[in-house]
């Protein structure tokens, strides 16, 4: 008999895991503090298939992208929302080495399906880019706040969602019931406040993002120029982000705003108006890999976390893997297993 699952945290990870577990026959419930500190609610939601350092495929991307595509399109149908946007990404080369690397590796077999040698004429004519640019396919963005709001309504309609300032002191100590209950934490960077997970080397980094209104900017691709610019429609654009390690201030700051806008003004002279400014913490681990599994000394407590800035692409695939693990059908990839912190 499958265990009951209590998921703590209904951000991107908790929402996806909850849906996947339901599909796999688990009885679940989800509690959340109404997203008071969720980094998912300020996430840009952008994904792309490359690692720019040394220009190669992102980890497991050939497996991750098909699962993500299928998953989000399915949820768009179920929720009746437009969430998942395939949009090509234009990368401005930051230095001559990057430009040469693009030319040298553009025909490599592992990259050929993800990059094109075509230039974007609009970008070329309207933005400052002394060293040129490359165009990446297999990229896009998820409207993460809209997705989370839709999933919250989905769980509420089924009586599976509750508001709770849940913490590790509330977890039942025994799993001796006929049908045991597991508590799985999907609490992002808030995990560092929970002592039971103190062996996990989480290294949250703060990100600040802006929403701009830029009239007459006819951009239909995302830009990467050290920062990113994502067209949202109706003259709105998401601009970000900062990467701030060891910054305990959870709020948006003038310094972060100035850093982001300064980068934008170096590539564009377009007039803009700042509509919104938000900040959150990415739950990144020391090795940039997710972390999931059950605590070896308290196997009724688990973790599904650490997806960092690539969560949109990673989470659907690993939610399926975690569901299979909880059903007893398979083990976890050692690279993501919680046990790597207990060896």
């Amino acid at each position: 008999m499958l265990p009951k699952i209590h998921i703590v945290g209904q951000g991107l990870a908790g929402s996806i895991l909850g849906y996947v577990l339901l599909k796999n026959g688990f009885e679940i419930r989800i509690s959340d503090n109404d997203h008071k500190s969720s980094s998912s609610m300020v996430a840009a939601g952008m994904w792309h298939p490359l690692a720019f350092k040394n220009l190669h495929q992102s980890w497991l991307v050939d497996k991750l992208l098909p699962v993500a595509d299928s998953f989000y399109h399915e949820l768009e149908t179920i929720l009746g929302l437009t969430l998942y946007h395939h949009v090509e990404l234009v990368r401005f080369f930051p230095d001559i080495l990057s430009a040469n690397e693009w030319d040298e590796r553009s025909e490599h077999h592992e990259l050929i399906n993800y990059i094109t040698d075509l230039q974007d004429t609009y970008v070329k004519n309207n933005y400052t880019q002394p060293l040129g640019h490359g165009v990446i396919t297999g990229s896009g963005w998820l409207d993460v706040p809209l997705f989370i709001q839709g999933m919250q309504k989905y769980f509420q309609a089924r009586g599976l969602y509750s508001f709770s300032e849940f913490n590790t002191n509330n977890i039942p100590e025994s799993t001796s019931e006929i049908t045991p209950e597991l508590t799985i934490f999907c609490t992002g960077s808030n995990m560092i406040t929970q002592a039971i997970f103190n062996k996990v080397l989480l290294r949250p980094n703060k990100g600040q993002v802006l929403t701009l209104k830029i009239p007459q900017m006819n951009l239909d691709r995302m830009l990467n120029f050290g920062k990113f610019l994502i067209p949202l429609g109706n003259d709105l654009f998401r601009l970000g982000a900062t990467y701030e390690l060891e910054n305990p201030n959870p709020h948006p700051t003038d310094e972060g705003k100035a850093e982001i806008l300064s980068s934008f003004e170096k590539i564009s002279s377009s007039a803009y108006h700042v509509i919104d400014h938000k900040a959150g913490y990415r739950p990144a681990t020391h090795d940039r890999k997710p972390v999931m599994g059950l605590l070896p000394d308290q196997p009724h407590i688990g973790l599904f976390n650490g997806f960092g800035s690539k969560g949109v692409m990673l989470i659907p695939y690993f939610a399926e893997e975690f569901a299979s693990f909880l059903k007893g059908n398979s083990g976890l990839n050692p690279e993501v297993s919680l046990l790597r912190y207990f060896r």
Side-chain angles (χ1 to χ4, degrees), residues 54-334:
N54 300 323
L55 195 60
H56 60 276
Q57 281 188 6
S58 287
W59 178 62
L60 297 180
V61 69
D62 287 339
K63 295 180 178 180
L64 300 176
L65 274 182
V67 175
D69 283 348
S70 175
F71 177 85
Y72 293 117
H73 288 314
E74 178 180 328
L75 265 295
E76 283 185 317
T77 300
I78 289 172
L79 300 178
L81 298 171
T82 301
L83 302 162
Y84 191 63
H85 306 270
H86 279 277
V87 182
E88 291 182 340
L89 173 63
V90 179
R91 188 201 181 205
F92 293 7
F93 300 132
D95 49 52
I96 194 65
L97 177 63
S98 299
N100 291 339
E101 207 166 49
W102 186 277
D103 288 339
E104 292 171 5
R105 291 186 52 76
S106 60
E107 297 299 323
H108 194 278
H109 67 89
E110 75 165 12
L111 302 179
I112 200 164
N113 292 328
Y114 296 125
I115 64 176
T116 172
D117 58 1
L118 298 177
Q119 294 285 289
D120 186 307
T121 303
Y122 178 81
V123 170
K124 184 177 181 180
N125 294 336
N126 288 278
Y127 298 91
T128 301
Q129 37 171 326
L131 299 172
H133 68 261
V135 179
I136 299 164
T137 60
S139 56
W141 65 281
L142 174 73
D143 191 332
V144 178
L146 184 61
F147 174 77
I148 291 172
Q149 291 162 9
M151 290 306 299
Q152 183 177 11
K153 293 178 181 177
Y154 176 89
F155 294 129
Q156 285 174 328
R158 290 156 179 79
L160 304 175
Y161 178 91
S162 64
F163 171 83
S164 174
E165 296 287 356
F166 198 90
N167 60 60
T168 52
N169 295 325
N170 303 122
I171 303 173
E173 293 183 3
S174 173
T175 59
S176 60
E177 312 167 36
I178 296 175
T179 305
E181 179 170 306
L182 307 181
T183 301
I184 308 297
F185 282 83
C186 304
T187 49
S189 61
N190 287 327
M191 186 196 77
I192 61 175
T193 66
Q194 295 153 354
I196 56 173
F197 300 124
N198 60 8
K199 287 190 176 182
V200 179
L201 301 180
L202 195 71
R203 293 181 176 171
N205 63 80
K206 180 181 176 182
Q208 301 188 50
V209 295
L210 305 175
T211 302
L212 306 184
K213 189 173 183 66
I214 314 177
Q216 301 178 336
M217 181 175 280
N218 300 315
L219 181 68
D220 59 3
R221 283 171 163 158
M222 304 183 297
L223 304 183
N224 176 292
F225 49 93
K227 299 291 187 276
F228 61 75
L229 186 69
I230 302 174
L232 306 178
N234 299 317
D235 294 333
L236 295 178
F237 296 81
R238 185 156 294 134
L239 175 66
T242 62
Y243 285 82
E244 305 170 50
L245 296 174
E246 300 179 4
N247 185 339
N249 178 2
H251 304 293
T253 64
D254 290 339
E255 292 81 3
K257 179 180 179 180
E259 176 188 329
I260 297 168
L261 291 176
S262 174
S263 294
F264 175 69
E265 291 167 358
K266 289 176 182 178
I267 66 156
S268 175
S269 59
S270 297
Y272 61 81
H273 178 61
V274 177
I275 302 295
D276 196 17
H277 181 193
K278 293 182 178 179
Y281 289 93
R282 306 172 186 89
T285 60
H286 80 290
D287 56 7
R288 315 292 288 183
K289 299 288 196 305
V291 55
M292 64 196 73
L294 304 177
L295 288 171
D297 55 343
Q298 299 183 76
H300 61 295
I301 301 174
L303 193 61
F304 186 72
N305 204 340
F307 294 94
S309 60
K310 292 185 178 290
V312 169
M313 196 164 63
L314 290 164
I315 297 171
Y317 176 88
F318 282 108
E320 291 287 356
E321 180 172 309
F322 197 36
S324 179
F325 166 76
L326 293 175
K327 292 172 80 170
N329 293 339
S330 63
L332 293 173
N333 181 332

